[in-house]
């Protein structure tokens, strides 16, 4: 069989099914969204003249602009919290837990919640965060609070708490992988060259795990930017971020506005990924 | 302390255990100024653990370590006046050669200009200036070795610890690197403590060789001492070119001891010991020859095989009972035995070396395979 040779044309046939599927499920719909976002006029039809009207209308509205900034700010906060927590967890699992058995147990405990869908996990936070929820009951029982804390549910705090629990694994996983690749002799070499532990971390461990950190940050960034479910279930109708705006417009039959927001959202994500790739060449991961 | 430090390193009854396994058991060692010391032994004998305790990478369970006269037993690695070269060099994959070599000076918070000048100087000295901007992944084994050495030497430590430093190199490179390292050590006058399982390395490099087995020191001294006067059956067996015999003291004859064993009865020089007590001795392969009038000790053997190394010809001989012996002859002389031929060999009583410690301290040595100890 000649299909094993890299240059063989037979190899292209192997890529065909996936290509067709990606065309139908991703490329064409994305193209259509971009196209719709430029439809001018009043009629909703493919005959509409192409114009920038929809974008101008969106950017003319200060509320929407504030929402874009708010979404980016919220995402940045999540990236920071998930990144720090995720790094600590990864460091603990790889460096401090020496017994392979315990490492597996702890890693499973950490991963099992992710076997359920993101939507279910978002909804599952509601009974925790409510006025009569588990957290408030615990606070009242231990006397840490005198009356139920209301800011947990239907608030930015609640959304953040839920999203941190949802996405920390994504920040942590790639770091676990990168940390596990570092030969212990490197750290010992640094110490014998008079580097104290903090310096060893700053000069050797962290730079070597940086690709993992960046990939984790990209994953958190993409997921938080796209997460409408958590914002909707835990934020109620009081809080909306960009992805919720897409749904609001769509449900209000403002398809062109929905398309504009969707395109902006995609551009933000593209810019984020491009920025990350400038920091770390993900394609060269694993090659030392 | 104004006491003048006489020794670069002093280890006093060092002990280290991992769970139920004793890795180092009462090791004591003194290293004078600028000495080249080799720790030699089979894997799992405790030589690497000893080195790691000196580096501060392992905390001993007992004993003291003094570097330059200062007690450092509980000090972390970064407070010890040492540098270390690791088996696989442990270069930082994300740093260029220049950055790598300057790392130690950066840690000492030297001014940037001074670091740059010193790095340039050291790179030139190790002939790796051309590699300054390369990263370790693009270097050959020999180049990595030079970078690792330059990185360790730049801070001018009192002691350089080397853990199988040429084990990762191609065989053809090793001899050149050994000569270079020896010359370097003589030139800079830093003490080298070199861990190896290769006796050629240990005996050709070391001023002082420490043979270890089962977490203990079996014998230490000058290479000639260890090669020609093994103190224990282990050293006699571990060092190439010895034939060991075991038996019991049968009596004394004219200032010598007679030792009788399975192989026969032999005359061995030594102070008197209780008759009937266990004893062992060894004789070097090059001291044995065809039986002659001057030989007090004789043995009938059959030639199993002959190995020719150019400078010597080695006969592997089988005696009655099946045990093998080695006999070395100068390679330039004509062969006197062929495979399968029987002969009588002999050697002078004076060529026998009586072992100070007759029986193996740990009889399990041959039954249980030595455990490799490479702490994570």
């Amino acid at each position: 069989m000649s299909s094993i040779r890299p240059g063989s044309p037979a190899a292209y046939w192997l890529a065909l099914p996936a290509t067709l599927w990606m065309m139908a499920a991703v490329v064409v719909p994305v193209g259509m969204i971009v196209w719709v976002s430029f439809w001018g006029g009043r009629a909703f039809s493919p005959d509409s003249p192409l114009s920038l009207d929809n974008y101008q209308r969106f950017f003319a509205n200060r509320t929407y602009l504030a929402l874009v900034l708010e979404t980016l700010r919220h995402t940045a906060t999540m990236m920071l919290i998930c990144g720090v927590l995720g790094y600590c967890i990864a460091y603990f699992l790889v460096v401090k837990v020496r017994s392979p058995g315990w490492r597996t147990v702890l890693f499973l405990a950490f991963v099992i919640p992710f076997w359920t869908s993101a939507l279910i996990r978002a909804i599952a936070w509601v009974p925790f965060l409510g006025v009569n929820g588990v957290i408030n009951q615990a606070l009242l029982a231990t006397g840490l609070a005198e009356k139920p804390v209301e800011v947990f549910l239907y608030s930015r705090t609640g959304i953040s708490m839920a999203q941190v629990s949802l996405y920390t694994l994504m920040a942590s996983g790639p770091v676990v992988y990168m940390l596990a690749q570092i030969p212990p002799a490197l750290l010992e070499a640094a110490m014998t060259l008079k580097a104290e532990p903090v310096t060893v971390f700053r000069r050797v461990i962290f730079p070597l795990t940086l690709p993992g950190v960046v990939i984790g940050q990209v994953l958190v960034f993409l997921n938080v930017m796209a997460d409408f479910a958590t914002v909707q279930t835990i934020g109620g109708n009081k809080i909306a971020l960009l992805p919720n705006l897409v749904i609001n417009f769509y449900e209000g039959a403002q398809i062109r506005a929905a398309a504009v927001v969707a395109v902006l959202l995609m551009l933000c994500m593209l810019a984020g990924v491009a920025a990350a790739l400038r920091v770390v060449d993900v394609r060269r991961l694993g090659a030392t | 302390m104004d006491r003048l430090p006489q020794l670069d390193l002093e280890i006093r009854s060092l002990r280290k255990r991992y769970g139920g396994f004793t890795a180092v058991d009462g090791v004591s060692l003194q290293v004078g100024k600028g000495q080249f010391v080799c720790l030699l032994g089979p894997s799992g004998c405790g030589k690497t653990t000893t080195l790691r305790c000196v580096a501060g990478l392992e905390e001993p369970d007992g004993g003291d370590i003094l570097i330059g006269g200062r007690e450092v037993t509980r000090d972390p690695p970064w407070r010890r006046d040492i540098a270390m070269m690791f088996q696989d060099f442990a270069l930082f994959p994300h740093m260029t050669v220049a950055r790598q070599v300057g790392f130690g000076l950066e840690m000492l918070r030297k001014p940037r200009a001074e670091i740059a000048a010193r790095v340039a100087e050291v790179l030139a000295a190790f002939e790796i200036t051309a590699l300054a901007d390369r990263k370790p992944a693009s270097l050959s084994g020999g180049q990595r070795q030079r970078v690792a050495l330059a990185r360790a030497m730049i801070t001018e430590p009192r002691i350089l610890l080397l853990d199988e430093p040429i084990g990762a190199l191609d065989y053809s490179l090793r001899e050149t690197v050994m000569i270079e390292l020896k010359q370097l050590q003589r030139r800079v006058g830093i003490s080298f403590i070199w861990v190896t399982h290769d006796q050629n390395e240990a005996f050709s490099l070391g001023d002082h060789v420490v043979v270890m087995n089962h977490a203990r020191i079996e014998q230490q001294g000058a290479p000639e001492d260890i090669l020609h006067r093994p103190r224990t059956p282990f050293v006699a067996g571990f060092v190439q070119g010895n034939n060991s015999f075991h038996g019991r003291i049968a009596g004394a004859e004219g200032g010598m001891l007679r030792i009788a064993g399975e192989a026969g009865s032999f005359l061995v020089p030594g102070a008197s010991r209780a008759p009937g007590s266990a004893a062992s001795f060894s004789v070097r392969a090059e001291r044995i020859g065809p039986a002659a009038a001057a030989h007090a000790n004789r043995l009938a053997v059959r030639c199993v095989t002959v190995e020719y190394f150019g400078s010597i010809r080695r006969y592997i001989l089988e005696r009655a009972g099946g045990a093998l012996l080695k006999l070395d002859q100068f390679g330039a002389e004509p062969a006197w035995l062929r495979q399968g031929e029987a002969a009588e060999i002999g050697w002078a009583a004076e060529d026998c070396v009586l072992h100070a410690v007759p029986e193996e301290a740990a009889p399990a040595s041959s039954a249980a395979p030595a455990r490799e100890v490479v702490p994570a």
Side-chain angles (χ1 to χ4, degrees):
Chain A
M1 294 294 282
S2 61
S3 56
I4 291 175
R5 284 185 290 128
S8 160
Y12 289 107
W13 292 104
L14 298 174
L16 189 67
T19 309
L20 287 178
W21 174 252
M22 289 302 282
M23 290 297 288
V26 178
V27 179
V28 172
V30 167
M32 286 168 74
I33 290 171
V34 175
W35 185 34
V36 169
S37 74
F38 286 107
W39 284 2
R42 301 217 153 262
F44 186 77
S45 89
D47 302 329
S48 305
L50 297 181
S51 79
L52 289 172
D53 289 356
N54 300 325
Y55 288 91
Q56 277 167 356
R57 214 169 294 136
F58 181 88
F59 285 113
N61 190 325
R62 290 189 150 267
T63 319
Y64 295 156
L65 274 184
L67 198 63
V68 174
L69 292 180
E70 184 53 33
T71 305
L72 290 173
R73 198 192 61 81
H74 173 74
T75 308
T77 314
M78 289 301 100
M79 285 163 71
L80 182 70
I81 297 176
C82 291
V84 172
L85 282 181
Y87 203 102
C88 293
I89 292 170
Y91 195 87
F92 176 77
L93 277 180
V94 177
V95 181
K96 291 297 169 195
V97 183
R98 286 291 181 85
S99 137
W102 268 111
R103 195 182 286 175
T104 312
V105 167
L106 290 173
F107 192 71
L108 275 179
F110 185 42
V111 171
I112 283 174
F114 292 84
W115 294 355
T116 44
S117 88
L119 194 63
I120 303 286
R121 275 178 293 141
I123 293 169
W125 269 95
V126 174
F128 270 85
L129 300 172
V131 173
N132 290 314
V134 174
I135 296 179
N136 265 323
Q137 284 181 3
L139 286 178
L140 291 176
T142 54
L144 287 171
E146 303 215 326
K147 53 180 182 159
V149 181
E150 292 185 15
V151 294
F152 289 152
L153 197 55
Y154 308 127
S155 73
R156 183 60 44 80
T157 315
I159 294 172
S160 299
M161 286 169 75
Q163 285 189 332
V164 164
S165 93
L166 294 181
Y167 302 127
T168 298
L169 177 78
M170 295 178 170
S172 197
V175 178
V176 168
Y177 176 78
M178 296 306 292
L179 272 176
Q181 308 281 309
I182 301 179
L186 290 191
L187 316 185
E188 295 176 349
M191 287 193 285
T192 59
L193 290 166
K194 311 282 173 283
E196 299 188 14
V198 176
T199 316
V200 175
F201 178 80
R202 198 169 52 79
R203 294 292 308 277
V204 181
I205 301 180
F206 189 74
L208 289 175
T209 52
L210 191 60
V213 172
V214 171
I215 292 172
Q217 291 286 292
V218 169
L219 292 176
V220 174
F221 170 75
L222 293 180
N223 278 280
V224 173
M225 287 290 281
D227 183 2
F228 69 93
T230 312
V231 178
Q232 201 159 40
T233 42
I234 294 173
N237 288 325
K238 284 165 53 179
I239 291 160
L241 295 175
L242 266 192
N244 305 82
L245 196 58
V246 179
I247 298 180
N248 287 353
F249 279 138
Y250 180 80
E251 285 170 347
Q254 293 174 274
I255 304 295
R256 283 173 291 186
V260 167
V261 183
V263 168
L264 288 176
L265 204 51
M266 279 190 284
L267 285 177
C268 287
M269 290 176 168
L270 269 178
V273 174
L277 285 178
R278 286 189 75 86
V279 179
V280 173
D281 191 348
V282 180
R283 287 162 299 175
R284 285 187 51 199
L285 252 192
T288 44
Chain B
M1 287 235 273
D2 51 11
R3 186 159 62 96
L4 232 147
Q6 308 265 309
L7 297 170
D8 274 348
L9 172 68
E10 184 171 6
I11 302 176
R12 295 184 194 140
S13 15
L14 188 72
R15 279 186 295 108
K16 174 72 188 172
R17 300 176 65 84
Y18 297 106
F21 180 76
T22 303
V24 178
D25 190 7
V27 163
S28 296
L29 174 67
Q30 297 194 332
V31 179
K33 267 223 136 333
Q35 247 191 325
F36 199 129
V37 176
C38 289
L39 302 187
L40 172 68
S43 48
C45 71
K47 57 192 192 301
T48 295
T49 307
T50 304
L51 192 79
R52 290 172 59 83
C53 286
V54 174
L57 298 171
E58 302 285 342
E59 198 172 325
D61 295 319
D64 302 305
I65 298 171
L66 288 85
I67 294 175
R70 192 172 68 89
E71 141 97 59
V72 297
T73 317
R74 308 281 152 200
D75 283 0
W78 56 90
R79 299 223 186 87
R80 298 185 183 203
D81 195 1
I82 50 111
M84 184 156 172
M85 242 183 99
F86 292 77
Q87 188 165 12
D88 47 8
F89 309 134
L91 297 178
F92 305 128
H94 58 299
M95 288 186 203
T96 62
V97 167
R99 205 74 204 274
Q100 192 112 230
V101 171
F103 189 84
L105 294 178
E106 266 187 72
M107 293 303 109
L108 296 174
R109 302 205 166 74
K110 300 276 188 213
R112 199 166 288 214
E114 187 188 326
I115 294 177
R118 188 84 180 94
V119 166
E121 196 181 305
V122 169
L123 290 182
F126 285 89
E127 294 168 17
I128 46 177
T129 306
L131 309 176
D133 297 322
R134 303 252 297 265
K135 289 195 178 167
S138 69
L139 303 179
S140 72
Q143 290 170 332
R144 284 180 202 204
Q145 193 266 347
R146 279 164 185 275
V147 174
L149 189 63
R151 183 179 73 172
M153 297 286 288
I154 197 166
T155 55
E156 294 172 343
R158 183 182 290 271
I159 307 172
L160 181 63
L161 308 169
L162 306 101
D163 186 7
E164 306 258 1
I166 61 174
L169 293 182
D170 283 345
Y171 200 77
S172 56
L173 255 178
R174 288 189 198 171
E175 197 149 341
T176 327
V177 171
M178 264 165 63
I179 296 167
E180 283 181 1
L181 281 169
K182 180 84 182 175
Q183 287 176 331
L184 172 78
Q185 194 267 341
R186 286 276 175 272
R187 202 167 57 241
V188 296
I190 291 174
S191 280
F192 274 30
I193 300 183
W194 177 297
V195 161
T196 181
H197 62 266
D198 182 330
Q199 48 184 293
N200 290 330
E201 272 174 38
F203 292 127
S204 57
L205 289 170
D207 305 321
H208 188 83
V209 175
V210 180
V211 183
M212 289 185 70
N213 186 38
H214 290 302
R216 290 166 180 273
I217 292 179
E218 289 272 339
Q219 184 174 0
Q220 54 178 315
E224 296 80 2
D225 251 12
I226 289 167
L227 282 166
H228 295 283
R229 280 178 292 285
R231 273 189 75 244
T232 69
F234 171 80
V235 175
F238 184 73
V239 167
Q240 273 169 24
N242 277 310
N243 294 296
S244 290
F245 296 89
H246 300 258
R248 293 189 177 279
I249 304 285
E253 290 173 26
M256 301 239 183
L257 294 170
R258 179 155 291 280
I259 297 176
E262 186 220 345
S265 166
F266 304 101
L267 213 51
V268 176
S272 87
R273 289 189 186 181
S277 62
S280 66
F281 67 94
S282 53
V283 56
R284 288 202 58 81
E286 69 270 17
R287 306 304 293 175
I288 307 179
H295 291 158
N297 298 314
R298 293 176 187 220
L299 197 57
V301 294
R302 196 179 54 79
C303 178
V304 176
T305 184
V306 184
E307 298 167 354
Y308 189 62
F309 299 106
S311 57
I312 63 159
R313 182 181 284 110
R314 171 164 295 172
Y315 300 91
I316 307 294
L317 308 171
E318 187 182 19
R319 65 165 168 82
L324 298 178
L325 288 92
K326 288 170 287 219
L327 187 158
D328 287 352
Q329 181 195 20
F330 280 119
E333 290 173 7
W336 65 276
L337 258 185
R338 266 196 282 269
Q339 192 176 326
E341 283 178 352
E344 188 176 38
I345 56 169
W347 63 91
E350 291 73 22
D351 286 328
C352 295
V353 178
L354 183 68
H355 299 154
V357 189
E359 295 297 324
E360 299 254 23
S365 64
S366 53
R371 207 171 113 194
E372 181 75 47
V373 185
V374 184

